[in-house]
């Protein structure tokens, strides 16, 4: 198969990829799942090239990491320059200029007019872990409230906060203590087919009851994704999130918003909080911040962030790594002009009517939803019962992959197709991928 952007020289996977995947089986644990059987040699923009010379369109972005595109020139040059100067001395021993500058940039860019601090770490899960530590230190309270359908990571506290058991938590219990879970305002699956405002009110009442039983005076933090990531791209109603923020303010609870997947342009603004009128006490960031390099951050109110007090309590060997910090600064520079978030909105405006039309045409698409370029379709066996249909999702993903398009799934029931295109995806690349998806929907209908 060959088209303008997708060029397949071999079947997928090709012989070199197959050989390397056999080697992977020999040396890599089974716990690392995989969507494809290709091995990547190069990546640029929205295109992946495998070791067999096949060119594939990437609508996954390394799961929302390559927001500025793969190997963005400015990011690559920043990494090369910093790597030639200094790679590691440990930020706690001899700080790096780039890391200090990055902390300042994040403090100024994140929502909230109050004074902020930024703790730089290596990953989203590490940022979640530190959010819990900081919140407990700040409030001197033990309890953490999180939500159904949430995903916050795979380390022990972040895995405890994560809702879905299979595959994320199976066989790993016991989990961390004093974590309580409330319903998430999943409008499509809320009993009674109610509108978002009604769902927001009813869901907040459930939350209030759980908080009352836990005792607000014992709650250190409430942690929520403004739109579920792994949980299926479900946006929380603005009304619900604002009620939640007001509740936390009233009771002195740290309001922590996990924008690991929604952050850095994905939703059509730099952060989803900007559209939702939120000023969290803590923002949890990672993925798109580094342009492909591993980095995360906890950005929050100075009085909350400083509460841990004792020097060294929040340290980590690689936190604020010089090369990752340089990559993150270059990534933020790419957002300065506004063209990336503008393109995210354009991608969303292309996807929304297309997905809506597919929902009308194909009865197994029960719901379509999203924010900006983060758009998803939920597959069901029957619209009345809303029984999930992960089998059709897998068929569509396989169909796309075989034709050189990488699309991934999500959802508590693994029945959601989600799109995470790089924000540099060109209109003809987007159209090429959507044509493959549409032919796949026709094939499985």
């Amino acid at each position: 198969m060959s088209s303008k952007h997708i060029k397949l020289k071999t079947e997928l996977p090709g012989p070199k990829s197959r050989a390397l995947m056999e080697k992977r089986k020999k040396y890599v644990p089974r716990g690392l799942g995989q969507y494809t059987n290709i091995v990547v040699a190069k990546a640029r923009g929205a295109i992946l090239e495998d070791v067999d010379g096949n060119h594939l369109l990437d609508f996954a972005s390394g799961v929302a990491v390559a927001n500025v595109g793969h190997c963005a020139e400015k990011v690559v040059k920043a990494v090369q320059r910093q790597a030639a100067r200094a790679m590691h001395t440990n930020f706690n021993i001899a700080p790096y200029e780039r890391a200090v500058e990055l902390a300042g940039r994040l403090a100024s860019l994140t929502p909230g007019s109050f004074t902020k601090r930024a703790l730089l770490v290596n990953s989203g899960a590490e940022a979640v872990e530190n959010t819990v530590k900081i919140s407990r230190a700040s409030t001197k309270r033990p309890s953490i409230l999180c939500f159904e359908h949430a995903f916050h990571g795979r380390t022990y506290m972040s895995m405890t906060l994560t809702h879905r058991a299979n595959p994320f938590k199976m066989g790993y219990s016991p989990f961390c203590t004093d974590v309580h879970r409330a319903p998430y305002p999943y409008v499509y699956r809320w009993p009674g087919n109610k509108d978002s405002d009604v769902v927001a009110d009813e869901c907040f009442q459930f939350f209030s009851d759980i908080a009352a039983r836990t005792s607000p005076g014992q709650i250190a933090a409430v942690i929520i994704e403004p739109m579920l990531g792994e949980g299926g791209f479900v946006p929380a109603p603005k009304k619900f999130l604002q009620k939640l923020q007001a509740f936390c303010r009233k009771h002195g609870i740290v309001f922590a918003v996990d924008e690991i997947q929604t952050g850095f342009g994905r939703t059509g603004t730099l952060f989803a909080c900007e559209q939702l009128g939120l000023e969290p006490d803590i923002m949890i960031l990672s993925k798109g911040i580094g342009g492909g390099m591993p980095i995360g951050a906890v950005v929050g109110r100075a009085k909350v962030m400083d509460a841990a007090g004792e020097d060294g309590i929040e340290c980590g060997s690689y936190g604020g790594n010089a090369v990752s910090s340089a990559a993150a600064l270059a990534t933020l520079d790419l957002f300065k002009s506004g063209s990336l978030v503008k393109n995210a909105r354009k991608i969303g405006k292309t996807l929304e009517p297309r997905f809506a039309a597919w929902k009308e045409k194909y009865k197994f698409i029960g719901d379509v939803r999203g924010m900006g370029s983060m758009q998803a379709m939920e597959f069901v066996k029957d619209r009345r019962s809303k029984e999930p249909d992960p089998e059709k999702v897998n068929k569509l993903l396989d169909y796309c992959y075989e034709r050189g398009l990488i699309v991934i799934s999500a959802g508590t029931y693994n029945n959601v197709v989600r799109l995470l295109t790089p924000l540099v995806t060109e209109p003809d690349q987007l159209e090429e991928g959507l044509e493959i998806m549409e032919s796949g929907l026709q094939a499985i209908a």
Side-chain angles (χ1 to χ4, degrees), residues 35-239:
Y35 270 93
T36 75
N37 290 310
I38 62 164
V39 177
V40 173
K42 301 176 186 177
R44 182 78 61 182
I47 302 294
L48 304 182
E49 181 180 341
D50 73 6
V51 291
D52 293 287
N54 298 304
H55 290 208
L56 297 87
L57 261 177
D58 179 17
F59 280 11
S61 297
V63 193
V65 168
N67 291 9
V68 297
H70 295 286
C71 292
E73 185 178 2
K74 188 161 191 169
V75 176
V76 171
K77 287 183 176 179
V79 167
Q80 290 171 335
R81 283 195 302 270
Q82 185 59 51
R85 292 171 179 169
M87 286 191 279
H88 179 76
T89 59
N90 190 308
F91 187 73
N92 298 79
I93 295 173
Y96 319 102
E97 179 185 359
R98 293 290 173 265
V100 175
E101 185 181 350
L102 176 60
R105 291 273 292 276
L106 290 173
S108 65
L109 286 171
T110 48
S113 57
F114 41 83
T115 303
K116 301 190 213 70
R117 307 271 193 262
L119 172 69
L120 303 179
V121 294
N122 304 296
S123 67
E126 192 176 339
V128 170
E129 296 278 341
N130 279 282
T131 294
V132 172
K133 289 167 61 179
I134 291 165
S135 298
R136 284 174 167 165
S138 172
T139 61
K140 306 297 188 290
R141 300 171 180 178
S143 300
I144 307 294
L145 258 65
C146 59
F147 292 85
E148 293 176 353
H149 307 288
F151 180 89
H152 294 288
R154 292 178 170 89
T155 53
Y156 258 92
M157 175 52 78
S158 63
M159 184 168 54
T160 302
L161 297 170
T162 292
H163 185 207
R164 182 175 163 191
N166 188 15
F168 302 127
K169 300 165 75 165
M170 295 292 284
Y172 297 129
S173 61
F175 300 109
C176 300
T177 59
D178 228 334
V179 173
H180 309 268
R181 196 175 306 279
Y184 187 90
Y186 195 151
V187 176
Y188 174 64
R189 292 194 170 273
W190 197 260
N193 296 321
K194 296 161 183 170
D195 67 31
S196 63
D197 278 350
V198 175
V199 171
D201 289 336
E202 292 184 358
C203 191
F204 183 74
Q205 186 58 57
F206 279 114
F207 166 83
S208 299
D209 291 345
I210 291 168
R213 292 197 297 272
T214 307
S215 178
Q218 291 296 302
I219 300 170
V222 171
I223 299 177
I224 191 167
E225 298 165 275
M227 178 165 73
L228 297 174
E230 299 301 318
F233 280 23
V234 182
K238 182 177 180 178
K239 183 179 182 181

Side-chain angles (χ1 to χ4, degrees), residues 375-377 379 393 396-397 407-408 415-419 437:
Q375 298 292 327
M377 303 180 288
F379 285 19
V393 168
L396 180 61
L397 300 190
V407 182
I408 58 176
N415 67 322
V416 175
V417 177
R418 57 174 161 168
L419 260 62
M437 290 182 70

Side-chain angles (χ1 to χ4, degrees), residues 218-444:
Q218 291 296 302
I219 300 170
V222 171
I223 299 177
I224 191 167
E225 298 165 275
M227 178 165 73
L228 297 174
E230 299 301 318
F233 280 23
V234 182
K238 182 177 180 178
K239 183 179 182 181
F240 176 81
L241 292 169
Q242 291 186 339
K243 280 173 169 275
L244 206 59
Q245 179 173 260
F247 181 92
C248 290
R249 295 278 189 275
K250 179 180 178 181
H251 294 284
I253 298 166
V254 173
F255 180 50
V257 175
D258 181 338
E259 288 228 37
I260 291 171
Q261 196 158 151
T262 55
F264 301 97
R266 277 277 153 214
T267 64
T269 47
L270 193 59
F271 303 107
C273 283
E274 296 172 49
Q275 301 175 51
L276 300 166
L278 302 179
E279 294 186 349
D281 299 304
I282 284 180
M283 286 191 69
I284 307 168
L285 306 172
S286 188
K287 288 190 181 288
I289 185 177
M293 292 293 291
I295 188 167
V298 183
V299 186
R301 289 180 184 272
K303 68 177 183 179
V304 173
M305 299 294 290
D306 288 342
E310 187 177 343
D311 287 348
I313 198 168
E314 302 296 349
C315 71
S317 294
Y318 294 101
N321 173 264
V323 179
S324 291
S325 295
L329 285 169
T331 298
L332 292 177
D333 285 345
L334 290 171
F335 280 101
K336 276 183 178 178
S337 70
S339 60
L340 285 170
V341 291
K342 184 178 179 182
N343 203 41
R345 292 193 290 269
K346 285 182 178 178
I347 290 169
K349 287 178 181 177
T350 298
L351 296 179
E352 286 173 6
R354 188 73 66 93
F355 280 19
W358 290 348
K359 180 186 172 186
E360 285 297 312
K361 186 173 182 180
Y362 302 106
K363 300 305 179 186
F364 54 82
I365 300 177
D367 191 34
V368 294
R369 56 185 180 248
M371 294 174 69
S373 68
M374 293 181 70
Q375 298 292 327
M377 303 180 288
E378 180 163 353
F379 285 19
V380 293
K381 293 180 180 178
D382 175 76
R383 285 190 178 178
R384 185 181 296 275
S385 68
K386 300 181 182 177
E387 181 183 353
D389 194 346
E391 292 82 7
K392 277 195 176 66
V393 168
N394 291 332
K395 286 180 181 179
L396 180 61
L397 300 190
D398 289 345
Y399 182 97
C400 292
Y401 166 60
E402 289 163 5
R403 287 153 183 82
L405 173 67
I406 296 176
V407 182
I408 58 176
S409 62
T412 299
Y413 315 103
N414 208 32
N415 67 322
V416 175
V417 177
R418 57 174 161 168
L419 260 62
L420 286 163
T421 62
L423 304 185
V424 297
T425 301
E426 298 166 5
D428 58 342
Q429 291 176 326
L430 185 61
E431 186 59 37
E432 188 173 329
L434 291 175
E435 287 176 0
I436 292 171
M437 290 182 70
E438 183 153 20
S439 64
L441 291 170
Q442 291 171 354
I444 65 175

